[in-house]
Amino acid sequence: MSDFVDIVVPVYGGLEETRACLASLLEHRQETPFEIIVVNDASPDVTLAAHVEELATAGKITLLTNDANIGFVDSANLGMMMHPDRDIVLLNSDTRVHGDWLDRLRRCARTNPKTGTVTPFSNNATICSYPRFLEDNPLPADSATKGESTAGESAGIEAQAASALAELDDLFAEVNRSRSIPLPTAIGFCTYMTRSCLDATGYLDSMHFGRGYGEENDFSMRAAFAGFEHRLCGDVFVYHAGGASFGDEAAVASDAAQETLRRRHPQYEPLIHAFFREDPARELRRRVDIARLTTSRRRRIMLVTHRLGGGTEKFVRELAALLEPELEVLVMRPRDMGCVGIEWARTGEEFSAFFQWPGEYVEMVGFLKDIGIERLHFHHLVEYSDQVLRLPSDLGVAYDFSAHDYFCICPLYNLISLGGRYCGEPDAAGCAVCLSEHEALAGLDIDEWRGRWAGLISRADRVIVPSNDVSERLRRYFPEANYVYLPHPEAKESTDEAGGAVRPRKAVTGDRGDSIKVLVLGELSVAKGSGLLEACADDAAARELPLSFHVLGWPRERLRQEPEIPLFIIGPYLDSQLDDLIKRERADVIFFPAQWPETYSYTLSAALRSGLAVAAPRLGAFTERLNGYTGALLRDWETAPADWNDLFMSLAGKDRGGQS
Amino acid sequence: MNPEEYLKEYLRPMRESAAPDSSKPGTAPDASTSGSSTSSLPHLSPERYYSDIEQSPYMFNFDMDLLTRDELLWLIGEIGGVDPANLKPGQLLGRLRQGESISNDRRDLLVERERQISEQASLLDERIREIERLRNVLQEPSYRVYRTLLMPLRLARRLIRFAKRRLLL
C-alpha cells in the first residue's frame, strides 16, 4: 500500500471557489505525501479550464480533462482509479482546507484498520456541521469573516476568510486532538476513503447517483455491509461553501438521490434518524464552543433572567442582540427539573450548558470563571434560590440590576392586591394584611423579603431603570442604590416634521357613524386591566353607548365578549406585525387600562408610533412617557369605568388631540 | 432611547474598566498571538456541559407505553436519588420484561427503590399543591404555570406511578 494520498477534486463551475480550494491545498505543507488530481469535467468556463491547465503545467496538480461532461460521480471515480494503491480524499471544489488537515485526517483513518471513511467537521455538512448541527452555517462571527467570498470581493476579505478558517481549524485541532466518533455515513464534501475500503466496496455508483448527491451515502452503506466503519474526525474543520458544484440542479438531484437511497438501503434512514436523535457529535462541538468563548477577543457578560416571557424576555433578547458586536453574551434562565440553562446568545450559535440548581452551583461557577465572565446583569430572579445572590461575589465581578417589575419589593411583583388593583404600597403592617389574604404567602415577613434583596441592589454597580417612576419607587426601599435612568433601546418614536410628537389622526366618525373604537394592546392580565376593560364594556352596554373595545392581543383570563358586551378579542400577534395591525384596526383611541405601575410598556411605544390618541392612567411609566405627547389622555388610575367611557365619548366627532 | 445611545451608556462601565489580565485563564488572548495557539486554554471538562435539554432524559416520551428502558432507568436513578449505574436496574428490568426470575437480594433492592420513589412522590404532591396555591395568588396564566412548573412535576409523578407498577413484584 502506498503512503501517498490522492486528493481528487472534480471541477466544473465556480471559478473563484475552485481557485480558493486549490490554493488552500497547495498552500499548506503536509507530512503525508499527496498528489492533487483535478478532474475537469468539460467545464464551460474557459478561465477555470485555463487556471487548472496552468497549475498542471507548473507541476502543481495532475489534471484529467473529460472530452464531454460525464457528471460528478464518474469524474470522481476517474480520479480515484488513477492510482489503485492509494488512499483517497474526495474533495468538493467549493471547500477550503487549513494547516496539516490531511495529516490529521489520515491519522484518524489509520487508527483502526476497519475504518473505511473519515469526514471532518465543516460549516455546511449536515450531521458534521458546526456550530449548529444539521445547518448550513456561515463561518462563526467571532472569526474575521462571515460566510463565503465570491468573485469580485477584495483580497482583504479573502485574507479574512482564510484567517477565520485558520482560527477555527486550529481550535478543532487543539481541543479535539485525536478525537473521533462513529458516523452512519460519510458526508461527501470532503471524504477520506481508505484503499482497503475501496477495494472491498468498489467505487461510487454512477449508475444510480450519476449527478452527485447520495453517492457517498450509498457508498457508506455498501462499505458498512463489507465491515467498514465511518468516522467523524473531531480535530479537522474544512470550510464548505455548499451548492456551488451543482447550482440550481441541487434540489432536484438531492430529492432523486434520497428516493434511490430509500429503495436501495432501507436501513439508511433509520440509521440517520437515530444519529439525529442521539447527536453524538455534540460533545465535540461543545468543546470547540467553550474554547471559542474562552478565547474570544470580546469581553464576556451574563444576563440572569427568568423564563416566563413577556417584556423582560423581550428586553433580554433585544439587549443581547444589541450587544452582539461588542460582547459575548450568555443568558442564564431556570429550566425544567431543577436545572438552570446557560445559553450563548450569539446569532447562529447552538451552545447551551445545563446545571442542576443548586446542586451543581460550584461546577457552574467554575464554568463561568473558565469562560471568563466579567460582568453580570440581573433581570429577574423568580424561581432561583438565594444562592443566586452569591454569584457576583463568587465570580468576583461587578454587576448591574434591572427592575422590570417590583419583585424585589414584594412577591406580588405587580403590586396588585387581592382585589386586582394597585396596592398603594402600604407600610409593613399593611403589607402583612395584604399578604395574609394570599394563602401561599401568609406569614411571609415583607421586611425580611426586602432584606434578602437589599444587599444585591445596594451593591449593584448600577440599578438600571427604564423610567424615573421606577427609581422613585425603589428608592423608598433601597435608598443606597445607584440608580441609572436608561429607557429601553427602541427605534425612534414617530415625530412630525417639526420634530414634535405626531398629532392624533382625525376622527373617522364618517365611516362608522358616531361609533368610537377603543383599542387595547398586548397580553391582558388583571394587572394590565382586564377587569377595568370588562367593566368599561359592561358600562357601554348598559348605557347603550356607541363604544366598542378591541383587544389586539389576548386576555389571560376569560372575558365576556360580543354579543353580551361590546368587547372583541383579536388575538396574538408578532411584535414585528404590531404597527401594521394597529393601522389596520383604524381605531380612534388606544387605551391602557393598567392597574399596576408599569415600569416601561413596550406596547405604549407602539401606541406612540401610531400617532393615535392614547388614554392611560397616571400611574407608573405612563405619566412620564406620555408627557408631551399631543394625543395623551391621562386620568387618575382610580378613574371609574363610566368616567373612562365618558372620556372616549367626548372624542366623538372631534379632532382627538390635545393633552387633558 | 435610540439603540446607539443606549449601547454607549450601557457599555460605559466596561469601557472605563480595563480588560482582565490576559494571563489569567478565560480572558482574551493577546491579539498578536490569537489564532496561532490555544495552549493556554484553561482546564475544561466539556462533558459536563453538553447535556442539552434536547438530549437529556428530560425529553423522554410522554406516552407511558413508549417509555424506553433507558428512560425508565434514568427515572429510577433521578427520582430515587441513586445513581442507576451503581444499581444496574437495567439488567434487572430487562430480565423482568423477559419473565426471568431474579435473586432475593436484587428483589430487596427494587423494593427499597419503590419505597424511595413513594416518598419522593409524596414530596412532589405537596410541592404541586403549593404551586397550585401560588398560581392562584400570583394571577399567572394557568398555561404558563402549568408548562413551567406543574407539568414537569406531574409528569414525574405519573412516571413514578408507572415505575412503581413496573417495580412491584
Side-chain angles (χ1 to χ4, degrees), chain B:
Chain B
M1 193 170 200
N2 85 51
E4 292 76 22
E5 276 179 62
Y6 188 92
L7 190 62
K8 189 175 163 193
E9 288 303 314
Y10 187 87
L11 292 174
R12 189 186 297 280
M14 290 188 85
R15 287 188 168 145
E16 287 173 356
S17 70
D21 181 353
S22 62
S23 66
K24 288 181 184 171
T27 56
D30 184 277
S32 62
T33 59
S34 62
S36 61
S37 169
T38 56
S39 58
S40 61
L41 281 176
H43 172 70
L44 295 170
S45 301
E47 293 83 355
R48 292 201 60 78
Y49 311 128
Y50 73 88
S51 58
D52 289 20
I53 217 81
E54 292 81 9
Q55 190 194 6
S56 79
Y58 308 129
M59 291 300 284
F60 44 67
N61 200 313
F62 287 8
D63 185 338
M64 296 299 103
D65 292 328
L66 296 178
L67 194 72
T68 66
R69 192 194 65 177
D70 286 343
E71 288 161 350
L72 185 59
L73 278 183
W74 166 81
L75 168 74
I76 292 166
E78 186 77 6
I79 296 173
V82 176
D83 183 359
N86 295 332
L87 189 60
K88 300 194 188 316
Q91 298 162 6
L92 293 171
L93 291 167
R95 286 179 186 175
L96 281 175
R97 282 180 172 176
Q98 293 160 21
E100 287 186 28
S101 62
I102 58 169
S103 64
N104 283 339
D105 56 336
R106 298 282 174 128
R107 182 188 301 265
D108 291 345
L109 275 176
L110 286 176
V111 170
E112 172 59 14
R113 175 52 37 80
E114 191 272 334
R115 189 190 61 75
Q116 291 172 345
I117 288 173
S118 296
E119 281 180 6
Q120 195 71 17
S122 302
L123 291 174
L124 286 175
D125 282 345
E126 179 54 34
R127 192 169 167 206
I128 286 170
R129 280 194 292 276
E130 281 178 17
I131 289 171
E132 281 173 336
R133 283 199 298 271
L134 199 61
R135 177 186 64 182
N136 297 332
V137 168
L138 296 182
Q139 299 151 350
E140 282 289 349
S142 56
Y143 76 89
R144 180 176 292 170
V145 170
Y146 181 81
R147 189 170 184 286
T148 57
L149 297 173
L150 290 183
M151 190 176 73
L153 294 177
R154 283 182 173 158
L155 182 62
R157 191 170 58 180
R158 285 166 59 203
L159 287 171
I160 287 167
R161 286 177 185 148
F162 176 77
K164 282 165 69 175
R165 282 206 305 277
R166 283 282 177 87
L167 295 174
L168 284 173
L169 303 173

Side-chain angles (χ1 to χ4, degrees), chain A residues 333-386:
Chain A
R333 296 182 183 84
R335 300 292 290 261
D336 288 342
M337 307 300 274
C339 277
V340 294
I342 296 176
E343 164 202 348
W344 188 3
R346 178 165 297 283
T347 306
E349 298 298 342
E350 185 186 68
F351 177 81
S352 295
F354 294 83
F355 299 87
Q356 285 290 324
W357 182 275
E360 293 186 325
Y361 176 81
V362 172
E363 288 83 354
M364 189 191 79
V365 168
F367 167 70
L368 295 173
K369 283 183 172 174
D370 284 346
I371 292 293
I373 291 294
E374 254 186 74
R375 194 175 183 87
L376 296 170
H377 186 168
F378 291 99
H379 290 273
H380 215 290
L381 298 182
V382 67
E383 287 193 76
Y384 292 96
S385 64
D386 284 2

Side-chain angles (χ1 to χ4, degrees), chain A residues 11-45:
Chain A
V11 302
Y12 179 75
L15 172 64
E16 293 306 321
E17 287 86 353
T18 305
R19 271 187 206 270
C21 172
L22 297 176
S24 73
L25 287 174
L26 292 166
E27 178 186 349
H28 300 289
R29 299 177 66 86
Q30 313 292 325
E31 285 182 10
T32 307
F34 68 93
E35 182 173 342
I36 302 169
I37 298 176
V38 173
V39 186
N40 177 359
D41 191 15
S43 171
D45 187 333

Side-chain angles (χ1 to χ4, degrees), chain A residues 104-174:
Chain A
R104 285 176 270 147
L105 272 185
R106 188 173 70 154
R107 190 186 310 138
C108 181
R110 296 200 169 177
T111 303
N112 183 337
K114 296 309 288 180
T115 299
T117 71
V118 175
T119 304
F121 272 104
S122 178
N123 56 301
N124 178 7
T126 61
I127 57 176
C128 304
S129 277
Y130 178 87
R132 289 171 301 166
F133 186 52
L134 299 174
E135 297 278 345
D136 177 358
N137 301 283
L139 276 180
D142 53 329
S143 304
T145 189
K146 292 177 183 174
E148 71 272 27
S149 57
T150 57
E153 285 183 342
S154 69
I157 298 290
E158 275 297 321
Q160 283 185 333
S163 163
L165 170 61
E167 282 184 31
L168 198 54
D169 183 49
D170 283 343
L171 275 185
F172 273 86
E174 175 77 23

